[in-house]
Structure formats: C-alpha cells, structure tokens
Amino acid sequence: IGANIAIFSVVNAVLIRPLPYPEPEKLVGVFNSAVFSGQVIKDWPLSLGMYDAYQENARSFEEFGVWTEGAAAINGIGNPEQIPTVSMTHGVLRALGVRPYLGRWFSSADEIEGAQKTVILSYRYWQERFGGDAGVLGRLVLIDFVPHQVIGVMPKDFEFLNLNPSVFLAQSVGLGVPGSNDADHSGIARLKSSVSLAQANQDIARILKIWGAREGWGRYLVSLRAKPEIHPLKQDVIGDVGAVLKILMGALAMVLLLVCANVANLVQVRAQAR
C-alpha cells in the first residue's frame, strides 16, 4: 500500500497534473521527424531559417518561438561564475503565457543583430545574486563578456519545462549569419482555439515544403522523409519517464491485487475454520 501510494504520488505529479501554464492543453512542442540511417528521429530540431518561415506563414499558431539550452560566464556582480542559460525568441514566453514578475517580455526588437543584448533573470537567481533588488531593471551585466541589459525577472513559481536556468537570453535571428542553418533549436507554440494537432501538422508540412524548395533543400528533405512533428508540450517535459512510470505503477498494482487476494483467502479460511 505504501509503495502504491508513493508511486501514485509521482505519477500524479508527472503524468496527471497539467503543466503550470495557462490553458496548457493548447501548448505544443514543434519539431520535425526524419529518417537518419534507417532510424526515425521524431525530435529533429529546427533551424532559424525554419523558424522564420514558420513564424511568417503558419496559420495554426497563436504564439510561436524557439529556444536552446546553454551555459555562459557572468561577470560584474561579485565573483565570476558559470550559469545555465536558455536563449529564446520573443514568442516562447508569450506562448507559455507567464508574465514576468518585474519588467517585460522579450520583443522582436531584442532579436535584431546589433541591438542591445537583453536578459531576463529567474526569481531564484535574482534573489541569490542581486538580493531581490527591485532596481535591477536596466542594469548592465556582462554575460560572456558582452553587456546585457536586465529587462525582467520571472515569477517565483515559474518553471521552464524540466530545466532550471538562471537567466533567459534573447535569441538573435539574423538569417544568413554563420550557424543560422544549423538545426539546433526546439520549438514551442500555442495553438489557436479551433486548431487540432493534425491540422497544425498539415499546416507546417505545407510551409516546410515551400521552405525546402526556396532554400534548395527540397531533395534533401525528401530523402530524409522529413515532416513536422508537433505534439503536446507535456511530452517534452516528461520524456521517456512516462512509459516507465506506467509500467511500474501497473506492476505495483498487480502486487497489491495479489496481496488483497491472499488476505481475502486467509480471512475466508479462518472464517470456515471457526
């Protein structure tokens, strides 16, 4: 009984409880699937070129953005340190629907090459390194030796998927620059109220085909059998642990049923003996 209660608590927290964002059922992860060396990869990331095409032409998304995980050195606020980061376009936090505790979201102006670099702090990092100073907005900090202006602080209970970054950085989206065609960005979108997953995949498949033909990647995408892979965002949070938890919960439930059957038999035998 104790084991079942413990595992159910984990299952409830991971599988049953909705994500801590407004209307989480509308949130989706945006990737592509492709076949590499005979193996199907369902979480092939996006390039900034794909992001630009999806952002401009998608009809299914209310908000859409891409992000990538990383690390950076921060200076100018005590001892230098290496911190976990998430770089993102302006649509990511808007899609999640969580407003900053202080300041503002990223905007498209923050993504322009040559613009002032901007950063949003996590609540924990704001408390630890800035002492919860409300005057932190507008302050410049050196991240990888580049000045970044603090424009916001996220709420205390904000969680970014299953990661724990200290800061969020605005992602530059200049096309044609080195690395802009690298497929290394994860996508997050909020679907429009009347759009299903199947409709969203059809919509992005149309755009992917157009983008491939325009950029000269058409034959390459055909050879890889590339297609959109849009799925509930919770799938990106729990990963493969969901299947493991279901199997473990089922096994423990079977053990509990066997115990109950044994106890019932013992009670019946005891009653018959009396």
Side-chain angles (χ1 to χ4, degrees):
I1 293 172
N4 274 273
I5 291 173
I7 292 299
F8 179 77
S9 298
V10 177
V11 170
N12 180 56
V14 176
L15 299 180
I16 300 176
R17 188 180 302 166
L19 294 176
Y21 310 116
E23 300 181 288
E25 69 280 358
K26 295 181 181 179
L27 291 173
V28 294
V30 182
F31 295 87
N32 293 315
S33 71
V35 179
F36 294 93
S37 302
Q39 183 178 1
V40 179
I41 304 297
K42 290 190 175 183
D43 55 355
W44 185 28
L46 311 179
S47 68
L48 289 178
M50 290 178 183
Y51 160 72
D52 182 68
Y54 293 0
Q55 172 75 1
E56 183 178 352
N57 300 293
R59 302 167 184 168
S60 305
F61 301 151
E62 188 174 305
E63 296 287 352
F64 169 59
V66 294
W67 62 274
T68 183
E69 184 182 9
I74 190 164
N75 303 275
I77 48 173
N79 295 327
E81 63 175 334
Q82 192 86 355
I83 58 173
T85 66
V86 167
S87 298
M88 59 176 60
T89 60
H90 69 281
V92 172
L93 293 179
R94 295 174 185 272
L96 295 179
V98 180
R99 290 189 171 276
Y101 175 71
L102 294 176
R104 64 173 178 87
W105 278 325
F106 293 124
S107 69
S108 56
D110 297 313
E111 302 168 359
I112 299 174
E113 286 289 331
Q116 170 66 62
K117 299 290 187 180
T118 52
V119 59
I120 296 176
L121 309 176
S122 70
Y123 189 92
R124 173 188 56 80
Y125 195 70
W126 176 54
Q127 292 290 328
E128 291 176 357
R129 297 293 289 179
F130 296 89
D133 180 15
V136 72
L137 298 181
R139 183 171 172 177
L140 293 177
V141 295
L142 290 177
I143 300 178
D144 284 342
F145 305 101
V146 177
H148 285 66
Q149 185 178 45
V150 179
I151 63 169
V153 176
M154 294 307 293
K156 184 177 182 179
D157 58 352
F158 175 70
E159 299 176 6
F160 186 77
L161 306 183
N162 57 353
L163 304 178
N164 190 28
S166 296
V167 300
F168 303 92
L169 306 174
Q171 170 72 59
S172 297
V173 293
L175 300 180
V177 300
S180 62
N181 287 324
D182 295 343
D184 55 4
H185 288 75
S186 302
I188 290 179
R190 180 174 288 274
L191 297 180
K192 293 180 179 178
S193 57
S194 59
V195 175
S196 66
L197 283 175
Q199 290 171 328
N201 276 299
Q202 290 175 0
D203 183 28
I204 298 304
R206 171 185 60 86
I207 301 170
L208 183 62
K209 185 176 181 180
I210 295 173
W211 174 83
R214 185 183 67 192
E215 300 296 325
W217 286 59
R219 292 184 179 179
Y220 182 64
L221 293 177
V222 171
S223 66
L224 291 176
R225 286 181 272 175
K227 61 181 181 179
E229 174 61 30
I230 300 176
H231 51 252
L233 184 62
K234 193 163 189 176
Q235 186 174 320
D236 295 335
V237 177
I238 64 176
D240 296 330
V241 74
V244 175
L245 286 175
K246 289 177 181 177
I247 294 171
L248 187 57
M249 187 69 196
L252 284 172
M254 290 299 295
V255 172
L256 182 62
L257 289 175
L258 288 173
V259 171
C260 290
N262 279 317
V263 171
N265 283 331
L266 288 172
V267 170
Q268 186 177 9
V269 169
R270 187 176 183 185
Q272 187 175 359
R274 285 181 178 176

